[in-house]
Amino acid sequence: MKGDRVEIVVDAGDTTRTYEVVASRAGRRVETAVRRGVVEVSEVTRSGTVVRTARFMANRVLALVEQPVPREHGSEKAGQTGRPLGEDPET
């Protein structure tokens, strides 16, 4: 979803560096994978096409923080009243 982001904190020798990968458009998401000693964070479209990728050596990564955008409840999003199903609106 647009706004989802992942922060990566990396050991850069004498200091740390922070990087961010953000889902910049509607319908995109951020995916994280660890393969063969490499941490890979990618922004992906709905169809699965990778837009951008950040790769880091796994032994240098200090923290990987996923920060999803707060989602709305389905009833609020659809414009419903928020009453449970089957409840009479006049009582």
Side-chain angles (χ1 to χ4, degrees):
M1 297 292 285
K2 180 180 179 178
D4 284 352
R5 66 184 191 167
V6 175
E7 290 184 39
I8 307 102
V9 181
V10 179
D11 178 19
D14 59 341
T15 185
T16 60
R17 293 192 182 188
T18 303
Y19 298 91
E20 271 189 356
V21 177
V22 180
S24 59
R25 294 181 134 182
R28 292 190 180 171
R29 63 187 183 278
V30 179
E31 293 184 351
T32 305
V34 180
R35 296 185 194 115
R36 294 186 172 199
V38 176
V39 175
E40 188 174 284
V41 182
S42 303
E43 181 181 355
V44 182
T45 63
R46 287 183 188 145
S47 63
T49 305
V50 176
V51 177
R52 75 182 102 229
T53 300
R55 291 187 183 106
F56 304 93
M57 291 175 35
N59 61 351
R60 293 287 188 178
V61 174
L62 301 174
L64 192 66
V65 183
E66 296 181 1
Q67 299 180 344
V69 172
R71 307 286 193 247
E72 295 179 5
H73 294 289
S75 61
E76 293 173 357
K77 196 172 190 178
Q80 298 175 354
T81 61
R83 290 187 310 267
L85 290 175
E87 186 175 304
D88 187 17
E90 296 187 19
T91 57

